Amino acid sequence: SSRPPRPAGLPRRPLARRAGGPRPSRGAMVIKTDLCAYTEYRIYPGRGQRFVAKDGKTSFFISSKADALFHQRIKAVKLRWTQAWRRMNKKGKADEQAKKRTRKAQKFQKAIVGMSLDDIKKKKAMKPELRAQAKEAAAKEAKARQATKAKVAPKSGAKSVAPKQQAKGGKLPKGAGAGGQKKDFKAK
């Protein structure tokens, strides 16, 4: 070989690969991406616009459209195509999985005061016709009780209405305060 000797201290150059040959596998290529400050889309290298505010805060936008909307102070939540709107309105795959996991609560019957659980089950098992008859009988009994109370009440409750109003603190109509008589303003 007529190659000149390599100087000491320099690393050996790798052999040139043949064109079209298989690449050595080193895993997937990692590309550094940023997120748009407005749309939250991924920004790949060579894309986007960086904006530095007066206070030194930097914002990276995917496009001039996102930049313009940000400077017009239009909220990203109000635009349907932004990730912020999708998050606010519960769109996306993460939420679908959560919906599937939720389970409907089982119905559970408890005893009520004055009625045991067995009594409740018996009532539910009764036929609707029988239940309607029982309801009518109860209504008749209640009406009969009301009628007996109404007969007893007029004998003992013969009081005038005016003292009740005064006791409650209700206002009386004009001229009704002094025995129902009009005042005489003319001196006799």
Side-chain angles (χ1 to χ4, degrees):
S1 78
S2 62
R3 192 182 288 173
R6 188 169 46 91
L10 285 177
R12 183 175 272 172
R13 196 167 38 136
L15 294 170
R17 259 189 343 199
R18 277 181 284 138
R23 283 183 150 214
S25 62
R26 289 186 216 150
M29 195 167 111
V30 179
I31 300 171
K32 187 181 176 286
T33 57
D34 289 321
L35 281 180
C36 175
Y38 190 77
T39 62
E40 298 174 36
Y41 288 164
R42 272 207 193 122
I43 304 173
Y44 288 92
R47 297 257 164 182
Q49 291 183 339
R50 193 175 298 277
F51 169 73
V52 183
K54 286 180 185 177
D55 61 354
K57 189 182 175 191
T58 60
S59 301
F60 202 29
F61 302 109
I62 195 162
S63 62
S64 58
K65 175 183 175 179
D67 184 19
L69 289 166
F70 174 81
H71 285 95
Q72 289 172 49
R73 290 189 172 86
I74 293 171
K75 291 178 182 173
V77 177
K78 293 190 176 183
L79 298 172
R80 289 190 69 170
W81 52 272
T82 60
Q83 291 300 315
W85 184 91
R86 291 181 65 80
R87 197 181 321 107
M88 194 77 160
N89 291 282
K90 297 187 174 96
K91 308 290 179 196
K93 293 171 188 173
D95 296 326
E96 287 172 18
Q97 291 170 354
K99 281 181 190 174
K100 286 177 188 174
R101 270 186 278 156
T102 55
R103 199 174 48 161
K104 198 174 182 182
Q106 296 267 327
K107 283 190 177 179
F108 184 71
Q109 187 113 36
K110 282 199 260 183
I112 308 168
V113 176
M115 218 176 193
S116 69
L117 193 58
D118 296 330
D119 293 341
I120 294 170
K121 284 181 181 174
K122 281 178 191 172
K123 278 226 172 180
K124 275 192 176 180
M126 275 172 59
K127 289 183 180 175
E129 298 90 33
L130 293 171
R131 213 180 302 162
Q133 286 176 358
K135 202 174 188 181
E136 285 172 21
K140 280 180 186 176
E141 189 185 329
K143 280 184 183 177
R145 246 188 275 134
Q146 288 276 332
T148 55
K149 279 186 182 177
K151 286 177 184 175
V152 176
K155 293 175 186 172
S156 62
K159 293 181 181 176
S160 62
V161 180
K164 279 188 181 175
Q165 280 187 333
Q166 287 174 348
K168 286 183 184 175
K171 289 187 175 179
L172 295 173
K174 284 186 181 176
Q181 298 170 357
K182 287 188 176 180
K183 289 185 183 177
D184 188 26
F185 292 107
K186 294 180 183 175
K188 289 183 182 177

